[in-house]
Amino acid sequence: MKIYLGADHNGFYLRSDLSKFLRSKGYQVGDDGDQLLDPADDFPIFAQKVVSHVLSSDEEDPRGILVCGSGQGMCIAANRFKGIRATLGYDIQSARSSRSDDNSNILCLPAQILEKDKAYAILETWLSTPFSNAPRFSRRLKEIDELT
């Protein structure tokens, strides 16, 4: 599985750590973040880059990870795109339910709140949790897709 990463200046260092962590676990990583820290960058640019890769991927279950200070801005920006189900991962349970119930395809992480090891645990949970395919969850996702 290939994971696409993006982050603004607030998530710059955590994104780098996550990239190394994912590679150590055998994932392919597409890094859509800046190579140099730019305190004046804007998070929507990185959200759009990752979303574009997830939406155009020919993989069966493409995923993206976005990192900013609170995670909220990235989540808002990513969810502007049809086909994206971005969720905020602030603990293990939120990551698990976002996959099993909501089939999220983008995980947004708050760099100013999470310690590196907690971010790793949240990420591992999110990546390893399958969508349950329960009829009620599938029905709700279809209803979301039909919103205009």
Side-chain angles (χ1 to χ4, degrees):
M1 175 188 301
K2 186 167 187 178
I3 310 295
Y4 300 95
L5 287 174
D8 67 359
H9 56 281
N10 285 312
F12 181 84
Y13 294 110
L14 181 56
R15 184 202 86 222
S16 177
D17 291 337
L18 293 173
S19 179
K20 292 173 193 165
F21 176 77
L22 287 166
R23 290 174 202 280
S24 77
K25 298 290 184 181
Y27 291 98
Q28 292 181 318
V29 176
D31 194 336
D32 290 317
D34 281 342
Q35 297 309 305
L36 298 173
L37 179 62
D38 178 2
D41 65 14
D42 295 318
F43 67 84
I45 294 164
F46 304 105
Q48 184 177 21
K49 286 179 181 182
V50 169
V51 163
S52 293
H53 281 112
V54 169
L55 291 176
S56 66
S57 175
D58 57 1
E59 296 224 5
E60 183 178 327
D61 186 20
R63 309 265 188 100
I65 301 162
L66 293 169
V67 189
C68 67
S70 70
Q72 299 286 10
M74 287 290 201
C75 200
I76 291 167
N79 278 316
R80 302 283 300 193
F81 296 85
K82 190 170 185 79
I84 294 299
R85 293 171 306 280
T87 54
L88 181 64
Y90 52 88
D91 64 14
I92 298 290
Q93 184 54 40
S94 68
R96 183 176 293 117
S97 67
S98 77
R99 283 290 307 141
S100 68
D101 301 359
D102 303 312
N103 199 18
S104 65
N105 52 9
I106 301 230
L107 177 66
C108 301
L109 294 171
Q112 293 176 337
I113 298 168
L114 295 178
E115 298 291 329
K116 183 170 52 173
D117 289 340
K118 187 169 182 181
Y120 292 165
I122 290 168
L123 178 55
E124 278 191 300
T125 299
W126 186 74
L127 288 170
S128 66
T129 302
F131 177 52
S132 72
N133 248 338
R136 70 183 186 277
F137 299 139
S138 295
R139 180 184 70 245
R140 292 170 187 158
L141 291 175
K142 185 178 180 215
E143 290 172 3
I144 289 170
D145 287 342
E146 293 171 355
L147 293 174
T148 57

